[in-house]
Amino acid sequence: MSISRRAFLLATGAVAGSAVLSACGSKGGDSASPSGEVEVFSWWTEGSESAGLQALLADLKINQPNIRFVNRAVAGGAGVNAKAELAKRLSQGNPPDSFQGHAGAELSDYIAAGQLEDLNALYEEQKWKDLFPKQLLPLISSEGKFYSVPVNIHRANMLWSNPSVLKAAGADPAPKTFASFLENLQKVKVAGGTIPLVLADAFTVKHLLETVMLSTLGPDDWTALWQPGADWRAPKVKEALENYHQVLTFTNVSSPAKSWDAASTLLGNGKAAYQIMGDWAEGSLKLTQGLQAHTDYEWAAVPGTAGSFQFLSDSFTLPKGAKHRDAALIWLKECGSKGGQLGFNGAKGSIPTLTNLTEDDRSLFGEYARWSMDEWKRCRIVGSLTHGVVANNAWNTAIDDAITSFLKRRQVSSFQSALVAAAQKHNR
Ligand code: GAL
């Protein structure tokens, strides 16, 4: 069995961990292999997030048995708490050895602040320029230099549903348009007893907004909003915000679930009908909750967004001043390796960034991930807001504030004005 196959089986729980590690002849105790610790900062603490991280670490252990991984994950979906903690450490000149950052505008902040080392030597050595998707390269580089190693591609515009709950209500798992989605939510509401569309903490509320905006605006207008001079006063933006206003009435926004993972659990155990969440929810439904695709849960693109793949990519960096630089480079190499990516993505719900997967590699993944790999190739690729692709941290924070006020006042016109002001300040 190849190492990548073993790591994958380990990650997805198909084989008990100890059996796999001993079967693969781990190099444990090999004094010639590099040693030392590497402190890695992320926000992967929930369900499929920690399972994915553990899978990556299992493969690291196989390849580099003497590297000690120091896990500095800070809980909070989408990195809400981790990013604040990271900013503090960076400003104190005390960076971790590597930290998670989203490809796109979020990473550009760290590059512009001069906080990262470039990774061109590693890119050359690993031939990653030829192996990572062409669309991703501009989002992890600046002026010909690469600054992070992308470990996955997630899709944000996904609708998850519970088939039994929908059947009882006569509702559709894959409404084609936003209007028909609202009709289906109404059916679930009338049937009673469940949350029609389940939400959790603040990032899930923004995640819902970005998907409703994509649904209403379409991929061209959504993408244009993040370009300098974009028209945030446009009637279409207003229509999107009105749709958002309406869809919120079918949610538990006033008493949300504790985390996105807790919300996925409510969906899995029949207490909620639909969830709009990135496909890390698949990792949780399938592996953490042990549910069966199609029988226990169903998926579709968010209504009105079929044909668009609203993506995000988790990537890891090498901060300037990292205390364990050599070990950090070993960790980064692992993030871009096939063994690491197969195991990690198999548990996380995302798809690898490596484009050299064989049919054999592909066959290791479940039906959802294989479909997502095809969708990535055939869909129009657009960026996620909540997960750092289209707007940097400061713009995201301004949008968070606009959402918080909107949830209190529920006035679409002042919500739109706040978004216009945020764009005027941050869209450069
Ligand atoms: C995203 C991240 C994903 C997942 C999600 C929920 O920002 O890219 O990997 O962890 O947050 O926390």
Side-chain angles (χ1 to χ4, degrees):
M1 213 192 309
S2 71
I3 287 196
S4 38
R5 193 168 196 97
R6 282 183 214 120
F8 185 90
L9 295 175
L10 179 63
T12 53
V15 180
S18 56
V20 174
L21 284 176
S22 57
C24 69
S26 149
K27 296 182 214 147
D30 175 356
S31 56
S33 74
S35 61
E37 67 173 47
V38 58
E39 188 198 21
V40 177
F41 204 89
S42 77
W43 54 88
W44 287 337
T45 60
E46 295 279 330
S48 57
E49 299 175 332
S50 56
L53 183 57
Q54 289 311 315
L56 200 49
L57 296 186
D59 195 61
L60 179 68
K61 190 94 198 141
I62 292 169
N63 296 325
Q64 297 288 347
N66 297 329
I67 294 294
R68 196 169 73 83
F69 184 86
V70 179
N71 188 356
R72 283 283 179 261
V74 176
V80 283
N81 304 323
K83 285 184 198 168
E85 174 80 22
L86 175 66
K88 202 159 94 197
R89 285 192 58 171
L90 291 175
S91 72
Q92 291 165 346
N94 176 28
D97 298 316
S98 181
F99 65 82
Q100 179 183 359
H102 288 121
E106 184 180 313
L107 189 73
S108 303
D109 273 355
Y110 302 117
I111 300 173
Q115 288 160 328
L116 301 180
E117 276 198 44
D118 82 71
L119 300 169
N120 278 21
L122 195 59
Y123 266 71
E124 288 283 317
E125 180 194 292
Q126 299 298 314
K127 315 233 176 320
W128 281 334
K129 221 171 129 183
D130 301 325
L131 291 175
F132 293 150
K134 295 272 168 291
Q135 305 96 309
L136 208 50
L137 298 181
L139 304 177
I140 49 175
S141 61
S142 168
E143 297 175 359
K145 291 184 174 160
F146 291 94
Y147 287 95
S148 71
V149 182
V151 71
N152 67 354
I153 291 165
H154 269 303
R155 188 174 187 181
N157 58 318
M158 290 304 303
L159 177 70
W160 308 94
S161 58
N162 182 309
S164 316
V165 173
L166 295 193
K167 195 164 171 221
D172 182 356
K176 299 268 171 307
T177 62
F178 195 77
S180 101
F181 185 37
L182 293 176
E183 284 162 22
N184 280 277
L185 285 166
Q186 181 63 24
K187 285 186 191 173
V188 178
K189 192 171 180 176
V190 168
T194 57
I195 301 164
L197 179 62
V198 66
L199 286 174
D201 46 344
F203 99 82
T204 70
V205 182
K206 181 160 62 165
H207 189 110
L208 176 63
L209 173 67
E210 73 177 50
T211 61
V212 172
M213 289 185 79
L214 176 63
S215 175
T216 316
L217 294 161
D220 289 335
D221 288 357
W222 165 258
T223 304
L225 275 185
W226 310 99
Q227 306 308 315
D231 185 9
W232 280 81
R233 291 181 208 278
K236 269 277 175 199
V237 174
K238 182 154 189 240
E239 189 186 326
L241 302 182
E242 272 158 3
N243 282 339
Y244 183 58
H245 189 191
Q246 265 193 289
V247 82
L248 279 173
T249 63
F250 294 100
T251 68
N252 57 334
V253 68
S254 51
S255 55
K258 191 169 88 344
S259 65
W260 67 265
D261 192 44
S264 293
T265 304
L266 289 174
L267 182 94
N269 64 24
K271 299 210 167 73
Y274 295 103
Q275 181 182 22
I276 287 183
M277 191 39 48
D279 46 16
W280 43 94
E282 219 264 327
S284 270
L285 291 162
K286 187 170 141 192
L287 287 177
T288 322
Q289 299 177 54
L291 301 179
Q292 289 292 325
H294 306 307
T295 313
D296 302 323
Y297 66 97
E298 200 48 86
W299 63 79
V302 167
T305 72
S308 293
F309 192 119
Q310 193 169 29
F311 94 103
L312 58 120
S313 173
D314 293 302
S315 71
F316 283 88
T317 58
L318 177 63
K320 283 184 184 160
K323 290 183 198 65
H324 309 99
R325 189 178 179 280
D326 291 349
L329 286 167
I330 288 173
W331 155 252
L332 292 172
K333 194 163 143 183
E334 177 64 37
C335 290
S337 71
K338 201 189 248 193
Q341 288 210 358
L342 289 181
F344 171 78
N345 286 288
K348 185 82 164 59
S350 43
I351 57 175
T353 49
L354 286 171
T355 54
N356 61 347
L357 299 195
T358 61
E359 269 311 307
D360 206 29
D361 297 329
R362 209 183 121 92
S363 69
L364 291 168
F365 288 84
E367 187 189 336
Y368 171 76
R370 293 200 307 275
W371 176 76
S372 183
M373 288 175 197
D374 294 340
E375 287 279 282
W376 170 256
K377 286 190 194 134
R378 65 181 164 232
C379 284
R380 171 80 191 278
I381 307 297
V382 300
S384 163
L385 161 68
T386 313
H387 310 282
V389 182
V390 292
N392 64 8
N393 285 336
W395 196 354
N396 257 289
T397 303
I399 294 175
D400 291 339
D401 293 344
I403 294 173
T404 305
S405 315
F406 174 64
L407 292 181
K408 281 191 202 128
R409 300 162 62 192
R410 304 285 174 128
Q411 268 175 14
V412 167
S413 56
S414 42
F415 187 23
Q416 187 168 13
S417 303
L419 294 176
V420 168
Q424 273 163 355
K425 184 154 180 213
H426 298 285
N427 194 1
R428 302 155 195 272

